[in-house]
Amino acid sequence: MFDILIQGSGTLFSPMAMLMVVLGCALGLIVGVLPGLGPLMGIVVLTPVAFLIDQHAAMALLVAVYVGGSSGGAISAILLRIPGTPLAAATLLDGFPMAEKGKGAEAIGLAIAASAVGGLIGGMFLVFAAPALAEFALNFAPFEYFGLSVLGLLTVAVVSADSKAKGFAAMFLGLFIATIGTDNYTSYARFTLGTDALLGGLHIVAVVVGLFAFSEMFFEIEKGGFDKMHKQQLGRVSLIASLGTLARNWFNVVRSSAIGSVFGALPGAGGAISSFTAYAFAKSNAKPGQEFGKGEPNGVIAAESANNATCGGALIPSLALGVPGDAAAAVLMGALILVGYFPGPTLFENNKDVVGGIFIAYLASNVALLFLGTLLAPLFVFALRIKKQYLIPLIMLFSSVGTYAIQRSIFDLGAMLCFGVLGYLLRRSGYPLAPVVIGLVLGPICEENLRRSLIFSDGNYMVFFDRPISATLLYISAAILVLVLIPESVKARLKRRS
Amino acid sequence: MHRRRISLHLIMPMALLLLGVAIIWHINTVFVADGATHTGPLDDSGLFPRIIGFALVILSGISLLQHLFQRDGAINLDGLSSGGFQLSALAILGTMIVYVAVLRWLGYGIATPLMLITACLILQCRLIWAVLLAVLGTFGMSLIFERVLNVQLPLGTLF
């Protein structure tokens, strides 16, 4: 574990990488602050840029955006009662009442400090748990990898949709998109419509930028209010006072961070669930005089330490097993693959410097968050004033140029637009987008291991149930399916009878 | 408005169902004719897509049935307006389509500011701010990508 960190420090402690940590954290905070954006959008928009710089600096940038973006949502939640990201939904329960009482600066200071400390605790969890999990997974053969990818696909699709059938259909759509292009084993061109441009498949960045950035842009345009501006004032945010409050409520911080880390490590559980769970724990253990929901600092502490600890937790299965913990981690995984590193146990064997670099980038981002967040809080409040009529063209510009730059391909721009329209239509029809990306990332892993397993077993599908680990993974997948699908069908039957 | 929502909720599962059917049909005709399916698992290019095709058919069928029989799949569309702003979204999409179409010929330096000015005007910016944003945005991105990241943006063939 420590050798990983030492090797990582060699690659990450460069001026460029450190600059990227600071820049990424600041950009993450800005996209987190702006309602409608968030860490995923920040990573999506910056992935094309990251692809063009040094790979270690690129990962540092994206990890820092992930950390900053997960925390920035608290600022708009506290000041405007609009969570910049769903992760900050629990923060507004006490953060906004604090702001109403004139304690906005205190609430923001607490949110930032709790996020940073929670993130650091989640980072410790990541540093200890991921290598152990990866070492265990070194014994995995294609059968186990297939089981793992099925589990990853199922859990994320299940938890991310109101309609499970739609969540699964979105996931299979992602799997289909991943099959477009030349088959690696037979060199047969699949679903390329006779065009050479599709022989290499669709570029993941074009697909992801289209699905998320452009569909979100269309939604924001539809909402109108192009010249609406949020005017907010903020007093001085004190780092020392915030850390003092955290120290006095250390048990809440540790408990909430532990909840966040564990929930983050479960693929698909996500930060919003963990922050509400941590909030519920804090509320149920309230001391006399603590009034949750009416501006209780412990509410902000619980929600924010949990949601940033979730990021560290989410990176555990993503890095150790190649199963993304959430949609943002899936895009991070995609970026890692793009720069030539395949997440999974072999990454821990062959590229310890990369893994260590990511660990250190994650920890450094949380330290940077603590100082940047406190110092620049008034500036992020200013970011809230950017009118939509200027923000949307800038997103259009950045997404288009970034997507073009990766392969110098105008075809990619066309693909990005097509997926923007598809993403918009999917969202309007109640289909979640995260499973599409998960399918896109896990599709090749799933297919490769399915086919390799069937080679070993002479086409016998039961081989997956003959091996204990793959069988366990598939049984867990089946149990998840049953748990999720049965109650809904029962509910539907009861409704129909009534 | 209500009728439009329902139709969209029917169209997407239908489209995905048709996609599933098309995948299976494509494998059973084109893949088979090209000899890409009839050998072992490693050589069967249609194995995985076929599973995807069947899954899409089944899941989209379920979504369709759920929609037809339950009609309670409430979708959160809070804050969405249906009138003029949808036209704005379509206009922005049209602008982007034209931008992608002419980028090869006009080049980044001409097509991008035009696209940005059009987008800003669609979003009701004042012309002076639209021009300023377009010029600064285009120049700024060119500086970042061409000078810092060494990426040549499209030069254009027309001029």
Side-chain angles (χ1 to χ4, degrees):
Chain A
M1 180 190 65
F2 291 109
D3 58 325
I4 291 177
L5 283 178
I6 290 165
Q7 290 197 30
S9 64
T11 59
L12 200 90
F13 286 130
S14 68
M16 178 69 166
M18 281 295 137
L19 178 71
M20 287 300 132
V21 166
V22 175
L23 185 69
C25 199
L27 289 173
L29 278 163
I30 292 171
V31 292
V33 165
L34 295 170
L37 304 182
L40 176 61
M41 182 71 97
I43 295 168
V44 165
V45 173
L46 284 173
T47 297
V49 181
F51 189 61
L52 300 166
I53 57 177
D54 168 69
Q55 51 207 25
H56 298 112
M59 286 317 297
L61 174 73
L62 296 179
V63 168
V65 171
Y66 186 32
V67 171
S70 303
S71 176
I75 297 174
S76 44
I78 289 166
L79 294 178
L80 302 175
R81 209 172 181 268
I82 304 170
T85 65
L87 301 169
T91 310
L92 70 80
L93 296 175
D94 278 292
F96 185 67
M98 279 182 81
E100 278 186 315
K101 290 177 184 171
K103 295 179 180 174
E106 187 191 331
I108 288 178
L110 265 183
I112 289 165
S115 290
V117 175
L120 284 170
I121 293 173
M124 296 297 170
F125 192 57
L126 166 72
V127 170
F128 281 100
L133 190 58
E135 200 175 327
F136 172 69
L138 267 178
N139 304 317
F140 284 12
F143 315 96
E144 285 77 29
Y145 276 116
F146 174 72
L148 257 182
S149 54
V150 169
L151 182 63
L153 287 167
L154 277 185
T155 47
V156 175
V158 163
V159 296
S160 59
D162 290 332
S163 161
K164 306 305 170 204
K166 286 181 176 177
F168 282 121
M171 179 198 82
F172 276 104
L173 181 63
L175 288 176
F176 170 66
I177 296 166
T179 64
I180 295 172
T182 307
D183 181 359
N184 286 336
Y185 293 100
T186 60
S187 299
Y188 181 69
R190 298 190 293 192
F191 312 110
T192 55
L193 307 172
T195 60
D196 291 345
L198 280 173
L199 283 176
L202 286 156
H203 201 283
I204 188 169
V205 172
V207 177
V208 172
V209 170
L211 280 175
F212 285 92
F214 271 75
S215 70
E216 181 62 35
M217 199 176 73
F218 295 141
F219 264 81
E220 287 300 323
I221 294 169
E222 274 202 346
K223 284 181 192 168
F226 304 135
D227 56 354
K228 211 168 105 183
M229 186 165 70
H230 304 291
K231 284 188 178 172
Q232 281 290 337
Q233 297 294 328
L234 187 71
R236 193 171 156 270
V237 177
S238 166
L239 176 63
I240 295 167
S242 307
L243 288 175
T245 311
L246 286 195
R248 284 193 296 280
N249 297 286
W250 65 271
F251 185 69
N252 186 13
V253 177
V254 174
R255 180 184 54 204
S256 305
S257 305
I259 290 171
S261 304
V262 172
F263 272 72
L266 301 173
I273 303 172
S274 71
S275 54
F276 274 106
T277 309
Y279 182 85
F281 263 93
K283 193 176 175 182
S284 62
N285 291 296
K287 291 173 189 157
Q290 291 183 339
E291 290 188 301
F292 278 80
K294 293 180 180 174
E296 169 56 44
N298 270 297
V300 176
I301 292 171
E304 280 303 311
S305 2
N307 86 33
N308 257 43
T310 306
C311 302
L315 288 176
I316 295 171
S318 312
L319 291 174
L321 304 174
V323 175
D326 60 16
V331 181
L332 267 178
M333 261 182 69
L336 201 59
I337 292 169
L338 278 180
V339 294
Y341 300 115
F342 287 84
T346 48
L347 187 72
F348 284 73
E349 279 292 294
N350 305 330
N351 303 101
K352 284 183 178 170
D353 56 332
V354 175
V355 177
I358 293 171
F359 286 173
I360 293 175
Y362 180 78
L363 295 169
S365 303
N366 280 292
V367 176
L369 170 69
L370 191 62
F371 294 101
L372 275 179
T374 312
L375 280 173
L376 304 180
L379 190 72
F380 300 131
V381 174
F382 178 75
L384 278 171
R385 297 185 191 173
I386 299 176
K387 293 176 182 174
K388 215 188 270 184
Q389 58 196 170
Y390 303 120
L391 190 62
I392 289 171
L394 286 175
I395 291 176
M396 285 167 70
L397 175 67
F398 211 75
S399 306
S400 309
V401 178
T403 303
Y404 169 82
I406 291 178
Q407 302 192 111
R408 278 82 160 163
S409 162
I410 291 178
F411 178 83
D412 280 352
L413 285 182
M416 177 194 74
L417 267 187
C418 292
F419 280 95
V421 175
L422 178 68
Y424 169 80
L425 292 173
L426 284 170
R427 284 180 62 184
R428 288 298 306 247
S429 321
Y431 286 84
L433 297 183
V436 182
V437 179
I438 309 286
L440 193 60
V441 172
L442 286 183
I445 300 167
C446 192
E447 179 177 15
E448 181 190 337
N449 289 295
L450 171 69
R451 287 167 76 175
R452 286 176 62 195
S453 304
L454 290 176
I455 289 286
F456 287 129
S457 68
D458 284 331
N460 177 17
Y461 283 84
M462 292 313 290
V463 71
F464 297 108
F465 295 95
D466 293 340
R467 294 176 63 96
I469 298 175
S470 67
T472 308
L473 291 166
L474 290 176
Y475 285 133
I476 293 171
S477 305
I480 290 170
L481 261 182
V482 170
L483 278 172
V484 169
L485 295 179
I486 291 286
E488 275 203 325
S489 62
V490 170
K491 270 184 222 164
R493 210 173 295 158
L494 286 173
K495 257 184 200 166
R496 260 180 261 140
R497 279 184 193 165
S498 65
Chain B
M1 179 70 184
H2 186 60
R3 187 174 293 174
R4 187 180 54 78
R5 276 189 202 177
I6 285 173
S7 65
L8 194 60
H9 284 267
L10 278 174
I11 289 168
M12 189 50 77
M14 272 186 202
L16 289 177
L17 193 144
L18 286 176
L19 175 67
V21 172
I23 292 169
I24 297 164
W25 175 82
H26 192 76
I27 293 165
N28 289 341
T29 54
V30 181
F31 277 42
V32 170
D34 293 344
T37 57
H38 59 75
T39 44
L42 198 62
D43 302 326
D44 187 354
S45 295
L47 174 75
F48 198 61
R50 194 182 285 114
I51 297 169
I52 295 169
F54 278 113
L56 276 174
V57 169
I58 293 166
L59 291 164
S60 305
I62 292 171
S63 291
L64 271 174
L65 290 175
Q66 275 180 340
H67 186 73
L68 288 172
F69 290 105
Q70 292 182 347
R71 297 198 174 198
D72 63 344
I75 306 301
N76 185 9
L77 294 169
D78 291 348
L80 287 187
S81 63
S82 58
F85 296 129
Q86 279 190 339
L87 283 179
S88 302
L90 275 176
I92 289 283
L93 176 63
T95 307
M96 280 305 295
I97 291 171
V98 173
Y99 173 66
V100 172
V102 302
L103 189 60
R104 194 186 307 273
W105 292 287
L106 290 183
Y108 170 81
I110 295 173
T112 306
L114 289 177
M115 178 271 283
L116 285 174
I117 290 172
T118 314
C120 285
L121 293 178
I122 292 167
L123 299 172
Q124 301 163 4
C125 289
R126 286 169 59 189
L127 183 63
I128 180 77
W129 290 114
V131 172
L132 203 65
L133 185 137
V135 172
L136 289 178
T138 307
F139 178 71
M141 290 300 277
S142 158
L143 201 70
I144 293 171
F145 280 86
E146 294 191 320
R147 297 292 162 90
V148 181
L149 301 172
N150 261 332
V151 175
Q152 181 61 58
L153 298 172
L155 290 168
T157 54
L158 215 58
F159 297 101

